[in-house]
Each structure stands twice: as structure tokens, then as C-alpha cells.
Amino acid sequence: MTGTGVEAGAQAARARALAVLRIRSRALAVALLPAAVAVILLAGAVGDRLEGPVWDAARWVLTPFAVLVLLAAAGIALVVARARPAMSPTVAVTEEAAPDLYRMVRDLADRLDVPAPSAIALTPDCDSWLEDRTHPAHAPPPAEEHRDIAGAGKQAHRRHPVAPVLVIGSPFLWWMRVAELRAVLAPVIAGTGPSAHPDIAAARRFVRGLDAAVAVASEPRRDPVSRAVLAGVGWVARLLLRSCRVHAAELERGVAAAAAERAQAVDYGLRIVAQEQVGLAYAGWDRLLTRVALPAWRMGRWPSRLDAGVVAALTELSRRDRLAEGFASRLGERPACDLLEEPGTVDEAASLLAARLFHGGPAGPGPAWSPVDWSEYPDEVVDRKWRLDAARLHRVLDAMGVRPATGPTAPATVAPTLSRVLDHLTDTGPAWTAGSTGATGPAAGSAGPGPDTAPSEAAGPPPGRPEPLDDEDLAGTTGPSATLAARISAELAREEAAPSPAAPSPASPSPTPDPAALWDDRALPLFPLQPPRTARELLADHLTAMVCCAAMDTAGATPGLDWLDGPTLLIDGERTADLAPKVLTLIEDGDATPLRVWLSQLGIRPEKPVRLG
């Protein structure tokens, strides 16, 4: 099954592969050239042809130099050959765990007339690709074990190269229907055809080896000798990579063009609809991670059914957004996750891996890193998050020496109340400006540190720690707001820096992700979702949490989960969506009137004590 476009793309890829291999050959020739000249000089001396002091001096100089060049070239070649290429962290899916999925992939490969992938793995992202894992460090199984998967059963007596692994985005399996997944995977699987060409495979191995050698040379080392040696290896590897860069990029473009052209005849009409689902799945996945999963991860809990949550989030989106109408009707068709024998187990493994990649969580569950089900999310995450933030807010106010709320409705005890926070942030003075020193001293109107407050706690961050205060971030806020925001940021930094003995080590082995996944997890998270929260954002989060705690304890409100916006406050079963502007008005202008009116309309009593976490 070939065509003009397929042949054109494949020929372009092969031409670029040969260009990469020529660069490899030239590098080898440069390394061998001094040795070749030295051999000629030595042979001339044996044959009494190249004699005299000049030729003797050339032999004495060039022979040791040639030996050094050969040793250096052998060392560089050894590093390139043995360096472990980067491998994507994935969750392995065996054929026993997904026979229908493997059968569908084999059928696609047969229709495309290409080798089937050697294995299937899942990634917690909205993408799919082929990944070569034939390097000895990746410990691939023998080729014979994959002959049924790779379509080589007719010639079982012959050894065949192991085909690349098919990596599928796990959100696709839960949101897409079987036919849509098949259409999306067709051009990906078609790429195994060009990958099997010897020249293309050799060129890719060479480029991956150089890239891995650069990574090895970049690792920090204390030994000055090894640093110097690897610096030379890294310089040579980078030079060769720069020489191969254009050819390698064009090689991959040619392979992609050939694969896309070959897949045109497979479910072409459905591929257009399936690509729309790819974009929709990405939008829902991104929103689920940033709005729903991230608050749980920050508390040491990880939602164990993230992929199932994608379906709920996108279904909610289709209900709200007219542009998404009609997508929900697809849910009556067979979902692609039915191709798995135990979807829940796979979803849990992918959810744990997502927490590691996007947040840097530990490799396995533990007392300080436990899974949470969606039905438990409002109570185990939302309620607990709000009460912990409210407790931190009052601890900071205590350290600042802020008095309890005053007035005829103030409680007689020192129990934490929302009124105390509102009274402290209500400001009638000038706004805080960049360069002001008011944000690092006691708040305006406060009584100073209490008798039981340690001086270091009242003064802000400990010595040696920079003040977590961003002038641009806090510009335009009131003095009390800026001070409180800086103190909350410092308190949270201290809590995050404190070691947690109950949490498992991030580098500990995980029983659920791919046991053969060899990837560097010392720089987790590999793909952080958001930059660290600013002091203004932290103050807004803590003030919102205090308002929600007061609503739950005095007005019968309940915590809830919004699939698109994350934690939400429910009053009489309806979510409240107009709290944020009133909180910002208090922080930026020191005006609590809009928030007090909102509280009064909903029957929330700010003077009543609240239960903290």
C-alpha cells in the first residue's frame, strides 16, 4: 500500500538519514586520519623509503598524537554508545491487560502494511507518539516475544528488529470512542514503516546517542579529571549535534509526511471529527489538572481517577457551552477505555504518574500522600483545604499581635472569627506602593507582638531567608493587606520547607508505573503546571477560605466540586460565583462593605466563631 506522497516522504527521510550517517562517517574519518598518516610514516620507515631527520621527527610526533586521538575517539564512541537515551515516563499496558486494544493496533498495522508497535504504554497527557526503546539500558524483551504483536508470526524462526513502543495519551482512552481513537492512532502507527528502514533507524540511534552523551557530560561531578574529560566529550557531542540538527529535523518531517499520507485511506472521514475531540480533550485535561487536581496535590492527596474526571469535566463543558453541543451524545457509543480489562487500575496508575510529572509527588501512596475518590473530594480536599488555610491565616494574625474583633456583636472569647480578619484589613489610609517599608513591619493599627509571641515569628521570615515580597505584585494594595500577604507567604514557605517523615521518598520505586521506565526524577516536577503563587494570590486564597468556613459554620453552606473550576461553595445546593471580586476589593481598597453586604444577603454571620483545620 504505497502512493506518490508516501514514497516522496519516505525518500526525503532516507536522504536526510544518509546525510546524518555521512556526518558520522566524516567524524570517524577525522578520528582515523592521524592514525592513517602515522601508519604510512611507519611503513615508509620499514621500507627504507621515508628516511631522514624530518621524517623521523614526524614519526615521533605524529604516532603518539594518533594514539591519543584514537583513545579519545574510542572514549567518545563508548560514551555515546553506552549513554542512556531519554525515555518518557509511562504506564506499561501489557497485552493481557488490554487484548482488545492490542488487537485494534495490530489490525491497523495490517491495513497500513507496516510493522505493529512492539508494546503499548500510556502517558498522562493529550498526545500520542512512537518511542524507540531498543537501547540496552531500556532492557527490551527479546524480539521473539513480540512476534505476535509485531505481525512476525509467519516467520517465527527469524529474528526481527524490535519495533518502537506506541505511547497513547490516557485522556484519549476515556474521552474518545473506539472508532475515534482508531482514527487518531492511524497516522501514528503508520510511522512504524519508515522507522523500520535501516538507514533511518541508524540515523536516529546516532542522534539519540549524541543527545544522551550531552546529558551525561552535563551531570555535575566533583572529580576534576572526570569533569575535564566529560567536558571534552560534551563539546564533541554538541558539535556533531549542531551538524546533524537540520538533517535530523527534516528526517522527522519526512517520516511524519509519509505516515500521514499512508494513513489517508484509513478512517479518513472520521479523523476530522477525532481531531476535534483531541482539542477538546486537551482543554478539559488542562482545566482538570490546574483547577481540580492541583489543590488536592498541594494537600498531599492525589485524585485516583483523573481520566474519569476528564469525561465529567468535558460533559459539564458540553452542557454549558453551546459550541460543544452534540459532543455529549457521543457518550452513548463504546468508550475506548473498554479496550482495557481493568480501566480503574490503569487510571489509578496514570493518575499517580500525572501527580509526579506535574506536581512532583512521591512515587507511591503513603500516610502523607494518599489517593482520594471523587465522591470524597468535597469533604477530604475542599473542606480540609479551606480550614487549613483559615487556621494559617489566624496563626499569622496571632503572630502579628492583631486583636480580636471589637464591637457590640463581637464574641466574648478569643475564638477565630471572620470579623477579626475584616476589621484588620479595613483600611482608611493610603495604599501600599512599591518600595514601601510598611509591608515588613507590624500592621497599621495592630498592638504589636503579643507576650507569648517569639520575636522571630513577629519579625517575619527567619534570618537568611529573603522576604517573600514582590513590589509589583503587591503594588496597589493597602498596607495591612501587603503586610499580611507577606507574612502568609513566609509562613507557607516555612511549612513547605519542613521535612515530612511520613511522606515516601520521591525517588522510591513505584509499583504502578512502568517498571522499566528509566528517567531522571531528581528534578520533579518535570512539567510544572503553574508558577509559584504570588503573595497577593495567597492572601486572596486564605481570605476566601475564611469566608467559606464562616459560610459552612454559620449559614449551612457545603463544600462542592465544580469539574471546570475546582473547589466551590454551595449554598442551598447552588454554587456561588460572585465572591472573588468582593475579596479583591477588600485587599486592594481596604473596603469591606461589598463583602459585608454579600455576607448579610446570604445569612453568613462573620462575628460567629468558626472551626479551623
Side-chain angles (χ1 to χ4, degrees):
M1 175 181 166
T2 58
T4 304
V6 177
E7 291 300 330
Q11 290 296 336
R14 292 168 189 168
R16 294 294 181 169
L18 291 175
V20 172
L21 296 180
R22 280 195 294 270
I23 293 175
R24 185 184 67 177
S25 300
R26 289 169 189 160
L28 180 61
V30 170
L32 294 178
L33 181 61
V37 176
V39 169
I40 293 174
L41 293 176
L42 292 174
V46 173
D48 298 331
R49 292 181 178 274
L50 301 177
E51 294 182 346
V54 176
W55 294 110
D56 291 340
R59 275 187 288 269
W60 279 104
V61 172
L62 193 59
T63 300
F65 176 73
V67 172
L68 290 177
V69 172
L70 284 177
L71 291 176
I76 294 173
L78 184 63
V79 172
V80 172
R82 299 192 61 180
R84 187 185 69 194
M87 190 172 83
S88 304
T90 55
V91 175
V93 179
T94 63
E95 187 167 7
E96 292 75 16
D100 292 343
L101 180 59
Y102 273 78
R103 190 177 301 113
M104 183 190 76
V105 169
R106 282 198 298 268
D107 292 342
L108 267 176
D110 290 340
R111 288 193 59 185
L112 295 168
D113 194 23
V114 296
S118 61
I120 298 176
L122 299 184
T123 177
D125 202 357
C126 294
D127 199 2
S128 297
W129 66 89
L130 293 172
E131 186 165 290
D132 187 356
R133 297 183 178 180
T134 57
H135 192 275
H138 297 159
E144 286 84 358
E145 294 184 10
H146 293 284
R147 60 180 182 268
D148 292 336
I149 301 176
K154 297 180 180 180
Q155 296 179 349
H157 64 282
R158 299 179 56 188
R159 293 182 62 89
H160 294 270
V162 177
V165 173
L166 174 62
V167 181
I168 306 174
S170 62
F172 293 165
L173 287 175
W174 269 259
W175 175 243
M176 289 186 173
R177 309 299 97 180
V178 173
E180 293 169 349
L181 180 66
R182 178 186 176 93
V184 167
L185 294 182
V188 180
I189 296 174
T192 61
S195 300
H197 192 275
D199 293 335
I200 294 177
R204 283 175 163 176
R205 282 196 302 269
F206 178 61
V207 173
R208 284 197 305 270
L210 292 176
D211 184 69
V214 170
V216 170
S218 302
E219 293 179 357
R221 283 177 172 80
R222 297 181 180 179
D223 183 11
V225 177
S226 61
R227 281 204 306 268
V229 171
L230 289 176
V233 173
W235 182 83
V236 174
R238 291 185 184 93
L239 177 63
L240 293 174
L241 271 179
R242 285 195 296 270
S243 302
C244 298
R245 181 181 303 164
V246 175
H247 297 301
E250 293 300 324
L251 183 154
E252 298 302 333
R253 289 192 184 97
V255 169
E261 187 67 25
R262 183 179 292 271
Q264 289 288 337
V266 179
D267 301 330
Y268 177 74
L270 190 58
R271 285 173 58 191
I272 300 176
V273 178
Q275 288 300 325
E276 295 178 355
Q277 301 307 315
V278 170
L280 193 63
Y282 182 85
W285 178 250
D286 179 72
R287 194 141 183 173
L288 184 76
L289 292 182
T290 55
R291 304 292 182 88
V292 179
L294 190 58
W297 292 341
R298 285 172 174 162
M299 294 180 54
R301 306 297 298 274
W302 52 279
S304 59
R305 296 293 186 270
L306 278 179
D307 292 306
V310 172
V311 179
L314 292 177
T315 303
E316 178 66 16
L317 178 63
S318 66
R319 187 184 67 83
R320 297 184 190 179
D321 192 350
R322 291 181 179 180
L323 297 178
E325 288 181 358
F327 287 135
S329 62
R330 304 166 42 259
L331 301 182
E333 304 173 13
R334 186 189 183 194
C337 62
D338 280 358
L339 300 174
L340 305 173
E341 290 293 301
E342 297 182 2
T345 303
V346 176
D347 194 357
E348 184 173 355
S351 300
L352 180 58
L353 183 58
R356 297 206 70 200
L357 297 180
F358 299 110
H359 184 66
W369 186 243
S370 56
V372 60
D373 192 74
W374 290 126
S375 61
E376 303 169 348
Y377 187 94
D379 293 330
E380 296 293 327
V381 175
V382 181
D383 181 89
R384 186 163 164 254
K385 174 186 182 299
W386 286 341
R387 297 194 185 278
L388 289 176
D389 287 351
R392 184 182 300 109
L393 174 61
H394 280 278
R395 282 199 309 271
V396 171
L397 292 176
D398 292 339
M400 294 170 59
V402 176
R403 297 188 182 96
T406 59
T409 60
T413 64
V414 293
T417 64
L418 176 59
S419 293
R420 180 194 189 192
V421 183
L422 299 181
D423 292 346
H424 174 68
L425 293 179
T426 301
D427 179 56
T428 56
W432 187 88
T433 57
S436 171
T437 57
T440 56
S446 67
D452 298 328
T453 303
S456 62
E457 293 179 347
R465 181 188 297 273
E467 181 73 27
L469 185 54
D470 187 341
D471 286 352
E472 295 182 0
D473 171 55
L474 294 175
T477 62
T478 64
S481 295
T483 303
L484 186 57
R487 298 291 177 84
I488 290 175
S489 181
E491 176 69 14
L492 189 60
R494 277 192 290 265
E495 293 178 8
E496 293 176 348
S500 178
S505 171
S508 59
S510 171
T512 45
D514 189 352
L518 302 175
W519 48 285
D520 188 1
D521 59 357
R522 291 172 294 180
L524 293 173
L526 299 181
F527 311 104
L529 292 177
Q530 292 178 337
R533 289 173 292 178
T534 63
R536 181 198 293 259
E537 291 171 342
L538 288 174
L539 177 59
D541 289 346
H542 284 68
L543 181 55
T544 301
M546 188 63 201
V547 172
C548 293
C549 289
M552 292 188 294
D553 292 348
T554 67
T558 57
L561 167 61
D562 187 279
W563 290 109
L564 299 177
D565 296 326
T568 185
L569 181 67
L570 301 179
I571 298 181
D572 295 331
E574 299 291 333
R575 74 181 281 246
T576 57
D578 52 352
L579 176 59
K582 299 168 178 59
V583 170
L584 290 179
T585 299
L586 176 59
I587 293 175
E588 296 172 355
D589 303 330
D591 183 8
T593 302
L595 182 56
R596 290 185 183 276
V597 171
W598 185 85
L599 297 172
S600 176
Q601 291 174 345
L602 297 178
I604 302 173
R605 306 283 299 276
E607 75 280 1
K608 293 292 184 179
V610 299
R611 177 174 60 86
L612 302 181

